[in-house]
Amino acid sequence: MGKSEKTNPYLAHLLEDNHIESSSLNKYTGKPYSEKYYELLKVRKALPIYDKREEFLQLVKESKVVVLVGDTGSGKTTQVPQFFLEEGHLEKNKMIVCTQPRRVAAMSVSQRVADELDVPLGEAVGYTIRFEDVTSPKTILKYATDGMLLREAMSDPQLSRYSLIILDEAHERTLATDILMGILKTVVRQREDLKLVIMSATLDAGKFQDYFSRDPEHPLTVPLINVPGRVYPVEVYYTPEPEKDYLEAAIRTVIQIHANEPLGDILLFLTGEEEIEETCKRLNHDIPLLVKDSKPFRILPLYSSLPPNAQQRVFEPPPSNGRKIIVATNIAETSLTIDGVVYVIDPGFSKQKIYDPRVRVESLLVSPISKASAKQRAGRAGRTRPGKCFRLFTEQTFKKDLIETTYPEILRSNLANVVLTLKKLGVDDLVHFDFMDPPAPETLMRALELLNYLGALDDEGELTQLGKLMAEFPLDPQLSKMLIVSPQFQCSNEILSIVAMLSVPNCFLRPRDAQKKADAAKARFTHSEGDHLTLLNVYYAYKHNEEDPNWCYQNYLNYRSLKSADNVRSQLEAMMNKLSLPLVSTDFQSAEFYVNIRKALVNGFFMQVAHLESNGYYLTVKDNQVVSLHPSHGLDHKPTWVVYNEFVLTSRKYIRTVTEIKGEWLLEYASHYYELANFPVGEAKRDLEKLTIKNKKPRKQK
DNA sequence: GAGCACTGC
């Protein structure tokens, strides 16, 4: 047992450091440290952040909020919480939490820190992500997704379990991190026993400092600490003239690098799946033709909807004496890191979400990236040795045209869910809420209006009983409303399945080389009254076929999607039980089985309804947008009224996932929205008026 | 008659 102590060469040296346990027993487990602990300790002490340890601890002692800037490789994510622990700053029964924008990061970082502390994961160190809580009463350091900490705040707005909250990767400005910053700015001033550390890659540091210090009544001094990263230099090249066609330029650049530059993998950033698959095909065809005596190469596409085994291939070693050429979306900018990349090709574009509050539509648009993004992409070339980055735009463009940082998500999103969350967190005055970047007032108004129509907020903007329930669910407000009322329509089991299916990526596969077969497979599940009902059929069939991946494959269904829908469904079912919402079904033989489901749909989605006009097009109610049924629909006729799940703006305006409803139901379940006095003149209004008269007659006769 | 940047609860 004592062997490792005596023979360990690092031990004597360690004992000189007063902040490292001078006893050879691990204070968390009571056991002697393992060999691995000392090995990892040596690595830890070589991290750049280690030199800033005393400075950091001093600043945290003096200040409530500290901003820490550190590039990749500085070690901040793993070491900063440990500094705090070692110093014994943690109060009894309190914890440290460190947020991450992504689940995998929360999981892998917590495992690393558990190893460094020589403790089993889930005891002193753990993580919490959706569907998985690997913590215990012993846990004092927890890594969590930012969304998960936000959920916790909803039941404990002071986040009173924690005495240190670290928001990591704050520069990414996710919705959840932005909301957390907004509430923590107040909480940190209210709670004597709370410290806050904001960790970021260089760019926005000053902005975080300003934001947290600024307050008319309680200004704070927010110090900033800078930690160098550990990356290799990357030489950046620009094109002398702007490129007309970035795809052609990209292909040309790949070929030039492959022909002329020493070995080392190539990473090309493109915007989407189709573009990537096309380019891979072109490269496979062109390289052997254009490169004399080409070295071996392997072209690898990389995007999120690619099956996991195909994604994994980018991590395999390159062909012997050759190179990998990876053609990726933004997934390779932050989510996945591929060592061995030496050359980055950056055309300077990505698909970005934008929200237009006027038409209430979120859409994806190919847009120029920001300077910060371009720098991040370039950095991908310097992970293992010095690299090169080829920007397919001019230096002038970089300096003059690109914006500094990508607009935070909160400025590009529909905020219905954000507003519901903030209300639940007790924020009364949303218009004056201190957002780091305040969203457009119109976007907030749209969100308030939607929540008011759904009955989540009353006319004073107060959260209603229904709204409180809705906020409990990790769903868009329309979906949670529909789910909560579904027991009244005797179909909560079915709506649970539909909501789960709507919450995951599209489950229907349609490979380019088997489109007919895929369509035929889909036809077997199709319900002619609506796509929502088709989704229900698919879910049933998946369960009846014992969740078999092969069955999914044969039926052109995405197994990953269905499995995840099933997960979501279980989570929602548990919440329904917790909230005493009964799980009920209408008898399947009854004529009302599908009618009830469609009525429940109307209760959540009455604002997403389209009316068939005499010219054969659909017009969305109130917004009066001319739309077409998305070609993926399964209706066998064109119903007068449909609800839709999504408004898709591509080559045309489409409504996707549509189900037939009756006009009467709109008047019955959403009379406040369909009040005819405030309804825009048109065919939809005339149809509704006819229905009103028809409805009133029998009543008068009674 | 067509798509699906990326995350997260």
Side-chain angles (χ1 to χ4, degrees):
Chain A
M1 206 162 124
K3 196 183 164 209
S4 65
E5 294 166 41
K6 281 175 194 158
T7 56
N8 197 295
Y10 309 124
L11 190 58
H13 166 65
L14 295 174
L15 292 177
E16 291 163 13
D17 280 325
N18 57 9
H19 59 268
I20 300 286
E21 285 299 294
S22 53
S23 139
S24 57
L25 292 183
N26 188 324
K27 69 174 171 182
Y28 303 113
T29 58
K31 293 178 189 164
Y33 288 114
S34 66
E35 292 277 352
K36 194 180 173 193
Y37 170 84
Y38 294 106
E39 280 165 31
L40 290 175
L41 188 55
K42 191 185 171 197
V43 178
R44 283 166 63 193
K45 296 180 94 177
L47 288 166
I49 186 90
Y50 221 85
D51 301 336
K52 303 281 183 167
R53 186 178 182 278
E54 304 312 321
E55 187 185 344
F56 168 78
L57 287 170
Q58 188 59 34
L59 290 176
V60 170
K61 206 163 148 190
E62 292 164 0
S63 323
K64 303 225 67 179
V65 186
V66 175
V67 175
L68 191 147
V69 172
D71 275 329
T72 35
S74 64
K76 62 184 190 309
T77 306
T78 51
Q79 304 311 305
V80 164
Q82 294 190 64
F83 293 164
F84 200 82
L85 279 180
E86 289 158 359
E87 201 61 13
H89 277 337
L90 200 59
E91 286 171 46
K92 217 173 160 23
N93 299 323
K94 298 274 182 186
M95 295 169 67
I96 300 174
V97 63
C98 177
T99 66
Q100 296 294 319
R102 283 166 292 279
R103 287 189 219 172
V104 275
M107 290 163 68
S108 58
V109 171
S110 64
Q111 180 64 63
R112 171 75 192 190
V113 173
D115 289 347
E116 289 183 357
L117 287 173
D118 215 6
V119 297
L121 183 65
E123 294 189 8
V125 181
Y127 68 88
T128 308
I129 60 178
R130 189 182 189 181
F131 307 127
E132 220 180 333
D133 183 9
V134 184
T135 64
S136 70
K138 285 185 187 168
T139 304
I140 49 171
L141 168 57
K142 173 166 97 173
Y143 288 86
T145 47
D146 49 6
M148 208 65 214
L149 187 64
L150 188 56
R151 281 272 137 193
E152 277 187 36
M154 287 169 65
S155 51
D156 175 15
Q158 295 282 311
L159 288 164
S160 53
R161 300 166 68 190
Y162 305 104
S163 59
L164 172 64
I165 296 175
I166 304 169
L167 301 182
D168 198 2
E169 312 288 355
H171 61 281
E172 289 194 30
R173 304 292 307 277
T174 65
L175 270 180
T177 294
D178 264 21
I179 301 171
L180 282 169
M181 288 198 292
I183 57 172
L184 285 171
K185 181 171 175 179
T186 309
V187 170
V188 83
R189 285 169 165 80
Q190 291 166 340
R191 272 186 55 194
E192 278 302 310
D193 58 342
L194 177 66
K195 301 280 184 181
L196 180 61
V197 174
I198 309 294
M199 303 206 290
S200 162
T202 39
L203 259 117
D204 272 348
K207 193 166 178 174
F208 294 121
Q209 237 182 332
D210 288 347
Y211 174 69
F212 281 101
S213 52
R214 190 183 59 218
D215 189 287
E217 279 160 46
H218 307 282
L220 286 178
T221 307
V222 177
L224 189 144
I225 181 166
N226 222 307
V227 189
R230 179 167 296 161
V231 281
Y232 295 92
V234 175
E235 239 179 297
V236 175
Y237 300 87
Y238 294 93
T239 54
E241 297 294 324
E243 294 287 348
K244 269 185 255 125
D245 184 337
Y246 72 79
L247 267 183
E248 290 304 320
I251 291 168
R252 209 169 58 231
T253 310
V254 171
I255 291 171
Q256 276 166 6
I257 294 171
H258 185 60
N260 304 318
E261 297 280 343
L263 282 184
D265 298 334
I266 302 173
L267 172 59
L268 164 62
F269 283 100
L270 293 180
T271 64
E273 174 179 346
E274 195 175 338
E275 198 177 74
I276 287 170
E277 291 294 350
E278 269 316 300
T279 305
C280 287
K281 219 186 273 173
R282 278 276 308 272
L283 287 170
N284 271 317
H285 175 262
D286 288 4
I287 293 179
L289 289 178
L290 298 175
V291 182
K292 253 191 258 170
D293 308 320
S294 165
K295 292 206 170 115
F297 65 93
R298 186 180 302 136
I299 312 279
L300 296 161
L302 180 64
Y303 45 86
S304 76
S305 57
L306 210 60
N309 57 341
Q311 283 191 18
Q312 278 306 310
R313 290 185 59 210
V314 304
F315 297 108
E316 289 169 9
S320 145
N321 195 35
R323 67 172 112 228
K324 290 187 287 188
I325 301 171
I326 298 147
V327 188
T329 60
N330 254 3
I331 194 172
E333 195 180 300
T334 46
S335 304
L336 290 179
T337 299
I338 310 148
D339 288 329
V341 170
V342 178
Y343 308 100
V344 161
I345 304 168
D346 180 10
F349 293 95
S350 72
K351 276 193 193 169
Q352 286 166 35
K353 183 173 72 178
I354 46 168
Y355 176 66
D356 181 349
R358 272 183 316 112
V359 275
R360 301 174 205 169
V361 173
E362 277 182 353
S363 52
L364 282 174
L365 196 70
V366 174
S367 323
I369 60 170
S370 63
K371 287 197 183 83
S373 230
K375 284 175 189 160
Q376 173 75 10
R377 287 178 172 192
R380 294 315 214 182
R383 299 285 305 179
T384 36
R385 59 183 162 105
K388 293 181 178 180
C389 173
F390 299 87
R391 292 186 177 148
L392 304 182
F393 42 91
T394 64
E395 190 166 7
Q396 177 80 359
T397 299
F398 178 81
K399 285 185 174 155
K400 297 268 170 69
D401 299 345
L402 298 193
I403 55 172
E404 285 301 322
T405 51
T406 312
Y407 290 118
E409 206 184 349
I410 201 161
L411 300 183
R412 298 182 287 120
S413 306
N414 170 352
L415 295 183
N417 232 341
V418 170
V419 167
L420 189 61
T421 304
L422 285 170
K423 285 284 175 187
K424 175 82 179 181
L425 287 165
V427 176
D428 295 322
D429 186 1
L430 276 162
V431 181
H432 296 107
F433 183 71
D434 189 6
F435 289 105
M436 190 160 165
D437 281 283
E442 196 174 7
T443 307
L444 281 175
M445 289 310 297
R446 284 297 188 190
L448 289 165
E449 177 194 73
L450 173 88
L451 292 168
N452 178 244
Y453 278 126
L454 284 175
L457 298 178
D458 63 23
D459 291 344
E460 276 68 53
E462 298 288 319
L463 207 57
T464 62
Q465 274 312 111
L466 173 65
K468 282 177 193 159
L469 278 182
M470 283 167 61
E472 292 286 324
F473 288 94
L475 295 169
D476 279 342
Q478 295 94 325
L479 291 170
S480 49
K481 166 79 186 279
M482 171 165 98
L483 189 54
I484 289 164
V485 302
S486 64
Q488 298 166 37
F489 293 88
Q490 293 298 308
C491 59
S492 45
N493 285 312
E494 290 72 30
I495 292 293
L496 259 180
S497 308
I498 293 172
V499 165
M501 292 291 281
L502 291 172
S503 306
V504 300
N506 180 14
C507 67
F508 297 108
L509 298 174
R510 201 164 182 260
R512 241 174 296 252
D513 51 355
Q515 295 190 343
K516 280 210 168 129
K517 278 186 186 168
D519 291 345
K522 186 177 174 184
R524 291 198 286 277
F525 304 110
T526 297
H527 192 295
S528 64
E529 286 179 331
D531 301 328
H532 296 87
L533 309 177
T534 300
L535 289 177
L536 182 62
N537 285 345
V538 171
Y539 180 76
Y540 277 146
Y542 169 70
K543 295 300 274 187
H544 283 150
N545 286 280
E546 290 159 348
E547 305 165 29
D548 178 7
N550 282 322
W551 176 85
C552 292
Y553 182 76
Q554 284 153 14
N555 287 279
Y556 294 91
L557 294 170
N558 184 340
Y559 172 68
R560 258 203 301 170
S561 280
L562 289 168
K563 195 176 159 62
S564 126
D566 209 28
N567 254 334
V568 172
R569 194 186 187 283
S570 309
Q571 188 194 16
L572 297 176
E573 188 180 341
M575 301 184 82
M576 294 282 279
N577 285 326
K578 206 180 98 194
L579 299 172
S580 308
L581 293 163
L583 298 173
V584 289
S585 294
T586 304
D587 177 10
F588 186 66
Q589 302 303 325
S590 158
E592 300 301 303
F593 181 83
Y594 286 112
V595 170
N596 286 342
I597 294 171
R598 286 156 59 210
K599 285 179 175 171
L601 281 174
V602 168
N603 276 266
F605 286 86
F606 56 83
M607 292 179 77
Q608 286 167 222
V609 167
H611 176 260
L612 178 66
E613 304 286 295
S614 47
N615 61 12
Y617 283 101
Y618 281 90
L619 212 54
T620 59
V621 295
K622 295 219 175 171
D623 297 330
N624 284 328
Q625 295 281 316
V626 180
V627 294
S628 309
L629 300 180
H630 193 271
S632 62
H633 80 84
L635 298 168
D636 58 3
H637 62 295
K638 278 186 158 183
T640 310
W641 296 96
V642 291
V643 282
Y644 60 90
N645 183 58
E646 245 181 319
F647 185 109
V648 194
L649 192 63
T650 52
S651 50
R652 292 161 70 176
K653 292 171 183 169
Y654 290 109
I655 48 177
R656 188 159 54 192
T657 315
V658 291
T659 287
E660 174 173 10
I661 54 159
K662 291 199 185 308
E664 289 91 328
W665 300 345
L666 298 171
L667 297 171
E668 186 171 353
Y669 304 122
S671 54
H672 56 307
Y673 191 70
Y674 286 86
E675 210 171 83
L676 289 175
N678 302 320
F679 214 82
V681 181
E683 293 181 34
K685 181 171 182 170
R686 282 199 290 282
D687 264 11
L688 289 170
E689 279 166 348
K690 278 184 219 157
L691 292 170
T692 316
I693 296 162
K694 213 167 73 188
N695 280 351
K696 274 183 182 159
K697 270 185 187 162
R699 276 193 209 135
K700 276 181 186 166
Q701 283 163 0
K702 273 180 193 171

